[in-house]
Amino acid sequence: MKIAIFQFYLFGINTYVVYDPSTSCCAVVDPGMLGPKEEKAMDDFIARNNLKLTNIINTHLHLDHAVGNAYLKENYNVPVLASKADEPIGERMQQQAQMFGINEKFKGVEITEYLNDGDIITIGSGSLKVIAVPGHSQGSIALYDEADGFLIAGDALFKGSIGRTDLPGGNHQQLLDSIKSRLLSLPGNTVVYPGHGPATTIAEEKASNPFLR
C-alpha cells in the first residue's frame, strides 16, 4: 500500500491516507482537518486519485487526531474505527477544546467499530494490523503494514521522543513498556510515521531515542 501525509494546523497533526492503488480503496488515519480549507485539501486528494474511502481510523481520540472525524463521516458515510478504551475521551471533544482555549464547537466521536489488539483492517488488497500501545491514552493503538514495512504510531513514538503522558488516560511507565515490548520488536527497517513530526525507523529509535535507554 501507499501512504500520503498531510500536516494540518491543529497542533501540527500528521493525518495519513493509506491507499491500495490496485483497488483505489483508502482509509484516513487520524483526521486532523479543521475548517473548509483543510477539508477541501483532503477532498481534492481523494477525488484527484479516484480513491474510495472505506474507513476512518483513529490511533486515539485526543482532539487533534479526531477533529476531522465528523466531516468525513457525514460526507463519505464510512465507519469510524477506534479502541473502546478511548470512547470516554472521544465523547468529550468539546471539553478537550476548552482545555486548550479553542472556541469552535465539536461533536463527540461516535465509534462504529471497536478495534482490539491483533485485529486486521483490510484496505482493498492490503491490510493494517492493530497493535495496542496504551500509555499516551488507554486506547492508543499503532497500525502496522508488514508487507510494506511501515508503522503508523499515533502519539506513542516520535523521532527522538515519546508521547506525553500528562493528559487524561496517560501513564508514563505504561507507555515506555508498550513501546519497548510492542514496537521495538518490529524489524529495524520499519518506517515509523508518528502523529507529529518527521518519520523515523525502529532501528533509529532503538539506537538513539533518549527516552528508551
Side-chain angles (χ1 to χ4, degrees), residues 8 31 42 80 114 137 184 197:
F8 291 124
M42 180 60 68
V80 174
Y114 296 124
S137 72
L184 297 189

Side-chain angles (χ1 to χ4, degrees), residues 30-143:
D30 290 346
M33 307 89 65
L34 181 62
K37 183 177 180 180
E38 294 184 345
E39 291 163 354
K40 184 177 186 300
M42 180 60 68
D43 289 338
D44 287 351
F45 179 82
I46 291 172
R48 186 169 62 249
N49 290 279
N50 297 310
L51 298 177
K52 178 184 178 183
L53 182 60
T54 58
N55 294 304
I56 301 163
I57 309 172
N58 294 109
T59 62
H60 61 292
L61 291 177
H62 287 152
L63 176 69
D64 50 336
H65 289 254
V67 67
N69 274 37
Y71 177 81
L72 290 181
K73 185 169 175 56
E74 290 171 6
N75 286 272
Y76 293 89
N77 191 30
V78 294
V80 174
L81 283 58
S83 170
K84 184 175 178 58
D86 262 18
E87 196 165 42
I89 299 174
E91 291 171 346
R92 297 196 299 270
M93 293 284 282
Q94 193 60 46
Q95 291 91 327
Q96 290 189 60
Q98 291 168 353
M99 282 176 55
F100 291 101
I102 300 169
N103 296 320
E104 285 90 344
K105 292 185 178 180
F106 300 104
K107 294 181 179 179
V109 173
E110 296 181 9
I111 302 174
T112 311
E113 299 178 19
Y114 296 124
L115 294 175
N116 298 294
D117 185 53
D119 284 351
I120 302 297
I121 304 168
T122 300
I123 304 171
S125 61
S127 63
L128 297 172
K129 181 179 179 179
V130 176
I131 302 176
V133 284
H136 176 66
S137 72
Q138 288 305 297
S140 287
I141 61 169
L143 302 165

